[in-house]
Amino acid sequence: VQLQASGGGLVQAGGSLRLSCAVSGRSVSNHVMGWFRQAPGKEREFVASMRSNGRTFYMDSVKGRFVISRDNAKDTIYLQMDSLKPEDTAVYFCALDATFRSPWRESDYYSDRSTYDYWGQGTQVTVSS
């Protein structure tokens, strides 16, 4: 299983970026997929996730600004990021839970790093003020 993240870059505050994560070896429609980020000197934190049934979860600070989506035919997930802020600056990672069509779990499951078995290499997002 391989995850390839792309789409990061430098953007001014208030701007937008769309991150992509191409998956090989699994169908994104059958797995929980997530986006995490890690800023310098900080722990990796949850950003957004999507269950196989399409249900989505977001960290509070990105609700209304970020949208996670997927293209099943391309086995790719996306993170559309709008109204970016300097505090969104981080390396963004995509991740995949190897469980096939995971049953419903409490919401903490989807934001827990230990849920995810495979990780992409990360893509840098820098938001200037």
Side-chain angles (χ1 to χ4, degrees):
V1 179
Q2 290 189 324
L3 286 71
Q4 181 72 40
S6 62
L10 173 64
V11 64
Q12 288 188 331
S16 299
L17 281 174
R18 189 177 81 152
L19 306 184
S20 300
C21 176
V23 177
S24 59
R26 291 287 191 276
S27 296
V28 298
S29 61
N30 290 327
H31 297 274
V32 175
M33 301 294 304
W35 285 99
F36 288 73
R37 67 187 184 188
Q38 187 166 17
K42 295 187 177 181
E43 290 191 354
R44 192 171 298 187
E45 64 178 358
F46 168 76
V47 176
S49 64
M50 176 180 280
R51 289 188 64 206
S52 57
N53 68 356
R55 170 74 186 272
T56 57
F57 303 83
Y58 297 93
M59 70 182 299
D60 287 343
S61 64
V62 308
K63 286 180 181 177
R65 299 190 298 123
F66 291 10
V67 176
I68 185 172
S69 63
R70 70 187 183 206
D71 184 329
N72 294 340
K74 296 182 178 179
D75 280 324
T76 299
I77 65 167
Y78 303 96
L79 186 68
Q80 177 67 42
M81 305 185 295
D82 297 322
S83 302
L84 282 162
K85 304 175 181 180
E87 51 264 42
D88 295 319
T89 295
V91 178
Y92 283 70
F93 299 88
C94 55
L96 180 149
D97 171 11
T99 305
F100 182 80
R101 294 185 182 176
S102 176
W104 169 258
R105 299 177 189 270
E106 295 296 325
S107 59
D108 287 353
Y109 177 85
Y110 304 101
S111 61
D112 189 340
R113 286 178 295 174
S114 65
T115 293
Y116 300 87
D117 303 284
Y118 299 96
W119 293 81
Q121 84 287 4
T123 184
Q124 176 71 47
V125 172
T126 302
V127 184
S128 62
S129 57

